[in-house]
Amino acid sequence: MLNVPSQSFPAPRSQQRVASGGRSKVPLKQGRSLMDWIRLTKSGKDLTGLKGRLIEVTEEELKKHNKKDDCWICIRGFVYNVSPYMEYHPGGEDELMRAAGSDGTELFDQVHRWVNYESMLKECLVGRMAIKPAVLKDYREEEKKVLNVRVVESVGKIEIVLQKKENTSWDFLGHPLKNHNSLIPRKDTGLYYRKCQLISKEDVTHDTRLFCLMLPPSTHLQVPIGQHVYLKLPITGTEIVKPYTPVSGSLLSEFKEPVLPNNKYIYFLIKIYPTGLFTPELDRLQIGDFVSVSSPEGNFKISKFQELEDLFLLAAGTGFTPMVKILNYALTDIPSLRKVKLMFFNKTEDDIIWRSQLEKLAFKDKRLDVEFVLSAPISEWNGKQGHISPALLSEFLKRNLDKSKVLVCICGPVPFTEQGVRLLHDLNFSKNEIHSFTA
Ligand code: FAD
Ligand code: NAP
């Protein structure tokens, strides 16, 4: 058993309650947390009503199971009896019922693409659809004779050089594979996970650590600025997935590890919540252990930086993570940039991530101003205090020039971000001038 108190879990501010992509989550009844669900699936209870049998399900049969207490859903050709899961579903029963008795793959992909349903619902598996829908063959796993891969991030191109086994001219180039010459939207490809090895773990604050993971050999993973990935770990036999935003190894070039070649390593700043589900498990990993890392997701567009003059960053707690790459990029790659201002909200001084790096960077580059705001300062604090508010923002968000091109990025606990966006609208920032980070 994990030491997770079940009372009022997930906590009011837990990511398990947090709205993602505008989707609202419903309050779960007591005893209906993700951990409670895992416990139920391990209890040996017959959750499908089929006593462990797997059956072939016809479309007609599937359609019949469309009620709350008898609800089957097909996802990617597999049929699940989701009735026992209804009360545990963070999106609520109504959301699940939208797919009752039908193929819910598309609906699922719209909101949950990253959720590891195979693992979460394995005890609810009824069987396969009788007519198996065409499944795309995954060629990524096939061995590739790749000699060299070069990623040119700035232009978004990848050059792949393939090695010929023999130095002769080929009579023909083989047969095109399925999906050759076709473009599959990323949303339809499913998330791909690779196992990465924990290389180092370093304390950054009392509860936040810098994790360095090494990609598997010959793997290239370029996470675009402002995007996140999902980390996956087995927790008591169930695969749990949570989103995290990769950062650079440091804010300052002199702090960067010179021995580590680029693109082989991926860094994360992760806060450990002692009563959380995922982070304590992550924290228990030893150097050399593995964690699965997904392909990137997110809707931040680097084109937002074009001709940008004023950049304002509002971050709370680990909401600072997307700002790391943004800061690095803005200060080195946007020639038009005149000013970057970061307002960083934390509870206490001890919670401030990379405070001295931020101060050094601001000292080195006069375009950067950093302001720390504390909601619960414990010592003599001469800086700003409180929460995000109209007074704080109106003073902070002064444009350099009346008509300068501005972008405000905001990230933190969801209520912080939502309140911030409302305040920004009140201060006449347009939709295009605001980017809020959410899942
Ligand atoms: P949870 O189980 O979700 O718990 C979170 C909170 O609830 C904690 O305060 C915990 O103490 C409390 N809690 C848990 N159980 C109980 C209980 N029984 N009773 C009372 N309270 C309880 N985080 C980072 O650190 N770094 C990142 O780079 C990062 N990037 C993110 C990117 C995106 C797009 C999103 C949406 C989130 C990101 N997060 C990031 C947050 C991250 O995904 C997780 O939500 C976070 O790590 C907490 O996970 P957890 O499972 O450990 O905690
Ligand atoms: P935290 O330490 O609990 O809070 C940081 C600051 O925000 C504190 O000053 C806190 O004030 C304030 N705050 C909290 N809730 C608020 C609210 N409702 N209104 C106004 N201010 C509020 O933060 P954390 O534990 O690091 O959490 C960071 C959050 O950022 C997580 O929810 C994480 O999921 C999210 N995140 C999102 C992304 C993304 O979407 N891309 C990336 C990284 C992190 P108090 O003292 O009053 O609590």
Side-chain angles (χ1 to χ4, degrees):
M1 290 280 266
L2 290 186
N3 183 21
V4 180
S6 57
Q7 243 186 355
S8 75
F9 179 83
R13 299 219 319 263
S14 160
Q15 279 305 311
Q16 290 173 49
R17 282 189 194 278
V18 157
S20 68
R23 191 172 60 96
S24 48
K25 294 208 171 180
V26 299
L28 297 173
K29 284 188 203 155
Q30 200 172 317
R32 293 292 181 270
S33 72
L34 178 54
M35 204 50 190
D36 296 312
W37 171 250
I38 294 173
R39 283 191 193 113
L40 178 64
T41 60
K42 304 270 172 276
S43 67
K45 197 172 167 199
D46 176 14
L47 296 182
T48 58
L50 294 170
K51 301 195 174 70
R53 253 183 332 125
L54 290 178
I55 57 169
E56 285 224 319
V57 184
T58 60
E59 274 191 40
E60 295 70 47
E61 184 65 30
L62 179 64
K63 275 186 202 150
K64 288 184 205 158
H65 302 270
N66 61 358
K67 292 163 222 65
K68 267 188 190 161
D69 58 354
D70 177 21
C71 178
W72 291 8
I73 292 178
C74 168
I75 308 175
R76 277 184 249 291
F78 289 94
V79 179
Y80 298 90
N81 177 353
V82 296
S83 293
Y85 181 63
M86 287 276 172
E87 291 191 339
Y88 298 81
H89 183 232
E93 297 183 1
D94 292 346
E95 194 187 277
L96 270 184
M97 283 307 292
R98 285 169 66 200
S102 67
D103 188 334
T105 310
E106 211 166 292
L107 268 175
F108 175 85
D109 282 349
Q110 277 168 22
V111 276
H112 294 308
R113 196 160 79 91
W114 54 277
V115 170
N116 47 328
Y117 67 92
E118 296 101 323
S119 179
M120 291 268 295
L121 295 178
K122 62 176 182 256
E123 298 305 323
C124 299
L125 184 65
V126 168
R128 270 177 184 270
M129 284 303 288
I131 307 157
K132 214 176 106 202
V135 178
L136 296 182
K137 188 167 171 3
D138 190 349
Y139 294 107
R140 288 166 299 203
E141 284 303 320
E142 287 187 3
E143 198 192 354
K144 296 179 188 108
K145 291 277 180 278
V146 175
L147 175 67
N148 184 21
V149 178
R150 206 161 64 92
V151 182
V152 191
E153 193 186 0
S154 50
V155 288
K157 286 195 175 164
I158 299 173
E159 180 187 82
I160 302 176
V161 180
L162 296 166
Q163 189 180 24
K164 264 183 169 182
K165 264 189 177 168
E166 287 162 25
N167 196 13
T168 54
S169 31
W170 290 329
D171 292 338
F172 74 106
L173 287 175
H175 303 288
L177 295 173
K178 199 175 168 192
N179 301 320
H180 174 69
N181 253 352
S182 57
L183 222 73
I184 303 169
R186 216 169 69 166
K187 68 177 178 49
D188 296 341
T189 57
L191 277 185
Y192 177 70
Y193 283 87
R194 70 276 295 146
K195 281 201 164 151
C196 296
Q197 198 170 23
L198 180 64
I199 292 299
S200 66
K201 187 174 81 170
E202 182 191 302
D203 286 347
V204 172
T205 69
H206 61 103
D207 59 6
T208 302
R209 324 224 192 287
L210 180 68
F211 289 82
C212 174
L213 302 179
M214 184 170 69
L215 294 164
S218 309
T219 304
H220 291 257
L221 176 65
Q222 203 87 52
V223 180
I225 294 170
Q227 296 205 7
H228 53 270
V229 296
Y230 297 95
L231 298 187
K232 182 164 79 176
L233 278 177
I235 298 180
T236 63
T238 300
E239 288 187 323
I240 302 293
V241 176
K242 294 264 169 147
Y244 294 94
T245 313
V247 295
S248 38
S250 92
L251 280 172
L252 303 160
S253 48
E254 69 231 44
F255 281 96
K256 279 184 186 148
E257 292 267 5
V259 282
L260 302 181
N262 277 341
N263 299 335
K264 244 184 122 184
Y265 298 91
I266 178 163
Y267 293 90
F268 296 94
L269 280 166
I270 297 182
K271 176 166 171 174
I272 311 299
Y273 296 87
T275 53
L277 180 64
F278 191 83
T279 48
E281 201 63 25
L282 192 69
D283 203 29
R284 272 193 282 276
L285 292 183
Q286 302 292 312
I287 303 302
D289 285 350
F290 287 87
V291 54
S292 297
V293 179
S294 80
S295 21
E297 289 227 312
N299 57 10
F300 185 80
K301 297 249 170 5
I302 204 164
S303 56
K304 294 212 168 220
F305 289 135
Q306 251 167 31
E307 311 295 327
L308 191 69
E309 292 165 288
D310 290 333
L311 175 62
F312 297 106
L313 307 174
L314 303 171
T318 55
F320 172 63
T321 51
M323 311 306 176
V324 171
K325 282 193 183 180
I326 289 181
L327 267 175
N328 277 336
Y329 181 79
L331 293 173
T332 48
D333 285 301
I334 312 175
S336 53
L337 194 79
R338 275 197 290 257
K339 198 82 208 158
V340 186
K341 288 177 84 178
L342 166 71
M343 187 169 258
F344 193 2
F345 296 82
N346 283 282
K347 286 184 179 18
T348 70
E349 279 181 85
D350 292 345
D351 294 314
I352 304 174
I353 297 171
W354 282 350
R355 178 180 179 176
S356 79
Q357 286 198 43
L358 279 167
E359 285 170 343
K360 279 190 187 141
L361 191 61
F363 182 77
K364 230 174 79 175
D365 193 322
K366 295 296 166 217
R367 292 171 302 170
L368 173 66
D369 285 347
V370 180
E371 188 119 53
F372 299 112
V373 183
L374 300 183
S375 53
I378 43 175
S379 57
E380 282 294 303
W381 172 249
N382 300 321
K384 295 228 157 29
Q385 287 194 27
H387 288 114
I388 193 163
S389 67
L392 275 177
L393 291 196
S394 57
E395 190 198 321
F396 180 72
L397 297 167
K398 291 255 160 28
R399 290 169 197 250
N400 223 339
L401 296 169
D402 260 0
K403 289 216 164 93
S404 54
K405 188 170 176 210
V406 173
L407 178 66
V408 190
C409 296
I410 179 162
C411 188
V414 170
F416 163 90
T417 307
E418 286 176 351
Q419 195 191 345
V421 169
R422 280 195 299 273
L423 294 175
L424 289 168
H425 287 310
D426 293 347
L427 289 167
N428 290 326
F429 286 90
S430 70
K431 239 176 138 185
N432 284 339
E433 291 174 326
I434 304 169
H435 184 87
S436 64
F437 288 90
T438 47

